[in-house]
Amino acid sequence: MKVIRSVKEMQNTMLEQKSSGKSIGFVPTMGYLHEGHLTLIKQARRENDVVAVSIFVNPLQFGANEDLSTYPRDFERDSQLAEESGADYLFYPDASEMYPRPLAIKVTVGDRTDVLCGRSRPGHFDGVAAVLLKLFNIVVPDFAYFGMKDAQQVAVIDMLITDYNIPVTLKTVETVRESDGLAKSSRNVYLQPNEREEAVILNKSLNEAREGIINGERDPEKVLSFMRERIQQNSSGTIDYIELYSYPELKPVKEIKGTIIIALAVKFTKARLIDNTIISI
Ligand code: PAF
C-alpha cells in the first residue's frame, strides 16, 4: 500500500489508474479506523481493481465547540489496518494541503439537513459536502463506500452526487455492531465503563421500535415517546434527539408507511453517539 500526502500526486496516480481501465473504489474516512471502516474497505476490495482510502480529519465539518482537536488519531495503526483490509493507496493529506487558503466558493446543503445531526450541528454537512467534492475530484472513484450509521450523511451525499452530476456510484454498507449491538464508532473509546454498558439501550430501543412497527404501530409519536422513556430509564446519557422521518427525504410523517428512518443521538460525558434503523413497510 502506498501512502500519498500530496493532492497532485494522488490525483495524477488515480487518473493514471483510471486511464489504464482500472475501476477505483474509494473509502473516505477521518481515521481511527474500526471494523465499520474495515468492512467498507473489504467490500471495495472485492468490487474494484484499485482501492483508495483517505484519512483526513476535515476541519470544515466541525463546529467551534466540537471535538476537532481531540478527535482520536492513530496513523500507524490505521495504515496497518487499511493495508491488511486491502487498500492499495492511502491518501493522507494535512489541512494546509487540502485547504491552502480558505475556500472562496462555499457549498451550502439546502435540504435534508434541518433535522437530526444537521440541526444539532449547523454547517456540519456543508463541510462534509465540500470535502467530498474535493476528494471525489482528487480520487476520481467509480464507487464510493459509506456506512449507514451516518444515514443522514448518506442522504446528503446522494443529493450531492445527483445535483452536481458527479460520476461516482454511491455504495452503502450496513452498520457494523459490537456483539451487544452497540454501533461501532471511533468515539466509543470515550465512553466510561458504566456508559459503555448503558449505551446498549440505544440499539435495543431501536430494535424494540422496529418490532412495534412491524407488529402494526403506525403512530410516530407513540414510537418516539416509548424510545425516549426506554433510553431515559436505562442510561445516564442525555438525549440530543430521537426522530422519525421518511428516508432518504428526511421529511416528517404523520403516519408510518413506505420507507422511514428512526434516528437518535445521545450525549454521554465525553462522547455523543448516533444510531438509526431504516424500516420499509
Ligand atoms: O464519515 C466520515 O468519516 C466523514 O464525514 C467523511 C465522509 C470522511 C468526510 O470527511
Side-chain angles (χ1 to χ4, degrees):
M1 183 186 75
K2 186 166 186 207
V3 178
I4 298 181
R5 303 206 58 173
S6 137
V7 166
K8 249 299 101 321
E9 187 187 347
M10 185 69 185
Q11 196 173 42
N12 288 339
T13 309
M14 293 296 107
L15 286 169
E16 262 167 42
Q17 296 284 359
K18 205 162 181 123
S19 61
S20 67
K22 305 247 174 76
S23 67
I24 301 173
F26 176 40
V27 183
T29 82
M30 297 206 300
Y32 216 71
L33 304 182
H34 54 70
E35 237 175 282
H37 298 113
L38 307 186
T39 306
L40 300 177
I41 301 172
K42 287 175 190 160
Q43 182 163 338
R45 176 72 284 159
R46 286 194 297 276
E47 298 177 352
N48 296 276
D49 301 319
V50 172
V51 175
V53 174
S54 64
I55 294 182
F56 179 60
V57 182
N58 172 35
L60 290 194
Q61 67 189 76
F62 287 80
N65 300 318
E66 292 183 353
D67 57 351
L68 173 62
S69 61
T70 57
Y71 195 83
R73 292 164 169 86
D74 189 344
F75 181 71
E76 290 313 314
R77 182 178 159 277
D78 283 351
S79 57
Q80 196 183 331
L81 288 172
E83 181 160 25
E84 283 166 11
S85 305
D88 299 305
Y89 295 95
L90 181 56
F91 180 46
Y92 181 51
D94 61 24
S96 62
E97 180 66 12
M98 283 296 273
Y99 303 115
R101 58 175 174 78
L103 290 178
I105 297 180
K106 304 264 195 283
V107 184
T108 307
V109 184
D111 196 8
R112 303 185 181 179
T113 52
D114 54 344
V115 296
L116 309 176
C117 288
R119 185 168 49 214
S120 321
R121 304 181 70 188
H124 168 70
F125 287 111
D126 298 348
V128 171
V131 79
L132 286 176
L133 260 184
K134 284 173 76 80
L135 288 168
F136 287 154
N137 282 325
I138 296 165
V139 179
V140 293
D142 296 284
F143 299 99
Y145 295 79
F146 295 90
M148 281 308 288
K149 183 162 84 71
D150 297 310
Q152 185 172 23
Q153 173 167 278
V154 167
V156 168
I157 297 167
D158 170 54
M159 231 170 26
L160 176 74
I161 290 173
T162 307
D163 282 3
Y164 286 90
N165 306 95
I166 304 171
V168 62
T169 301
L170 178 58
K171 292 267 189 171
T172 57
V173 176
E174 280 315 302
T175 303
V176 178
R177 299 182 178 280
E178 305 287 352
S179 56
D180 61 8
L182 178 67
K184 299 232 179 195
S185 163
S186 307
R187 292 184 171 100
N188 289 351
V189 289
Y190 294 128
L191 292 171
Q192 290 167 3
N194 64 313
E195 294 177 334
R196 172 64 190 81
E197 279 176 29
E198 294 167 7
V200 173
I201 191 65
L202 273 52
N203 179 240
K204 214 169 169 196
S205 67
L206 284 166
N207 284 340
E208 290 165 353
R210 164 187 280 276
E211 221 164 281
I213 292 170
I214 289 168
N215 289 331
E217 182 56 67
R218 293 291 174 266
D219 181 347
E221 258 327 300
K222 278 196 187 146
V223 173
L224 295 174
S225 60
F226 164 79
M227 288 184 64
R228 254 179 237 120
E229 208 176 298
R230 290 286 285 142
I231 291 175
Q232 275 160 356
Q233 281 173 358
N234 291 282
S235 89
S236 54
T238 309
I239 296 172
D240 185 354
Y241 63 73
I242 304 179
E243 293 169 27
L244 188 156
Y245 297 108
S246 61
Y247 191 82
E249 303 80 11
L250 300 181
K251 299 291 176 229
V253 295
K254 285 201 172 72
E255 186 199 349
I256 297 172
K257 60 173 189 245
T259 300
I260 59 109
I261 182 169
I262 308 174
L264 54 79
V266 175
K267 282 184 189 152
F268 289 91
T269 316
K270 287 193 181 144
R272 176 179 170 281
L273 304 186
I274 60 170
D275 202 351
N276 69 73
T277 186
I278 292 176
I279 307 164
S280 292
I281 49 160

